[in-house]
Amino acid sequence: MKNHYKVIDEEQVKNKKIIMRVDFNVPMQSGKILDDTRIKSVVPGLKILADCAEQIFLLTHLGRPNGIFRPEL
């Protein structure tokens, strides 16, 4: 089976500022996270970056649930 994930090259990111796009668009109800699988899946990569990168910036969004703009989000 082919691995579709990119591997972090520690030498390439050493002492650099990293911008990482993450998918934290998790299912929520009444402000509570129902499934944190997407958040937990990022942790191994963040640990690697934390050991070698100077700074890490995470970019994400919550989207528009069912295509509807909701100001509270």
Side-chain angles (χ1 to χ4, degrees):
M1 178 176 240
K2 186 176 180 181
N3 183 355
H4 295 283
Y5 298 102
K6 292 185 177 183
V7 177
I8 297 171
D9 183 341
E10 294 178 39
E11 286 301 314
Q12 244 183 348
V13 299
K14 190 171 183 140
N15 300 320
K16 293 190 178 171
K17 295 177 183 178
I18 304 299
I19 297 175
M20 184 176 179
R21 168 63 169 92
V22 292
D23 186 4
F24 288 164
N25 197 10
V26 295
M28 297 178 68
Q29 187 173 27
S30 302
K32 302 288 182 191
I33 296 173
L34 301 177
D35 181 3
D36 64 356
T37 304
R38 291 180 178 182
I39 297 169
K40 287 181 177 179
S41 69
V42 174
V43 173
L46 286 177
K47 286 182 179 179
I48 293 169
L49 290 174
D51 288 340
C52 55
E54 181 181 332
Q55 287 182 310
I56 308 164
F57 301 91
L58 302 179
L59 303 177
T60 191
H61 70 93
L62 280 177
R64 294 184 179 199
N66 300 319
I68 300 168
F69 176 74
R70 294 176 52 193
E72 69 271 18
L73 297 177

